[in-house]
Amino acid sequence: MVATSILSTDAEMLAMAGELVDATGFTDDNKTAWGIQAEGYLCAISRYDWVTNVATIDSSTAAMLSEYVARYVAICAIAYNMATVGATFSSLIEPEDMIQVHVYRMEKIEEILKNQDYVNYIKA
């Protein structure tokens, strides 16, 4: 089984999370749940239902939405069990830095999606 997401793929989620996440929390069910949460958030901040209208999205926007969902899932996976310091992470700084890299890029994507001129351009 793989994660089910409209806007992203299981492979992208795996790539964004990296190899150090705790496998006990990085399940297909969790990836699916986190992906749905991210998709709902993207629809809310942009005031446009990307999930329902996925077939009409241009490739550049689709790639950006997919990246956002995958990054959100990665953050959830990294944060799921950061108590593995020593076994997986060398220090708490390592997972925190990984999360910050994702957050920075996600904030940039949010800026674009909050711009109603951009959303209206895609909808047209």
Side-chain angles (χ1 to χ4, degrees):
M1 187 177 165
V2 296
T4 306
S5 172
I6 303 297
L7 300 178
S8 193
T9 67
D10 193 65
E12 290 170 302
M13 294 173 187
L14 291 168
M16 290 292 182
E19 58 187 28
L20 299 179
V21 295
D22 183 348
T24 60
F26 201 48
T27 64
D28 293 330
D29 289 340
N30 283 350
K31 289 185 281 185
T32 297
W34 296 329
I36 291 169
Q37 292 168 3
E39 291 169 351
Y41 179 73
L42 291 174
C43 293
I45 65 167
S46 62
R47 296 183 301 217
Y48 183 67
D49 191 347
W50 301 105
V51 175
T52 300
N53 298 298
V54 69
T56 63
I57 301 171
D58 67 83
S59 62
S60 298
T61 302
M64 181 174 56
L65 295 170
S66 179
E67 175 190 351
Y68 188 97
V69 172
R71 286 184 185 280
Y72 180 82
V73 170
I75 288 173
C76 292
I78 293 164
Y80 182 83
N81 186 7
M82 292 188 347
T84 58
V85 171
T88 304
F89 299 111
S90 57
S91 72
L92 252 154
I93 295 169
E94 188 176 1
E96 289 171 350
D97 284 350
M98 292 168 68
I99 288 171
Q100 285 305 311
V101 168
H102 290 306
V103 167
Y104 175 78
R105 178 69 176 137
M106 290 167 68
E107 287 174 342
K108 297 302 178 188
I109 293 171
E110 287 177 16
E111 287 176 20
I112 294 168
L113 295 177
K114 287 178 181 177
N115 180 339
Q116 285 304 298
D117 290 337
Y118 179 79
V119 175
N120 290 334
Y121 166 74
I122 298 302
K123 288 179 1 183

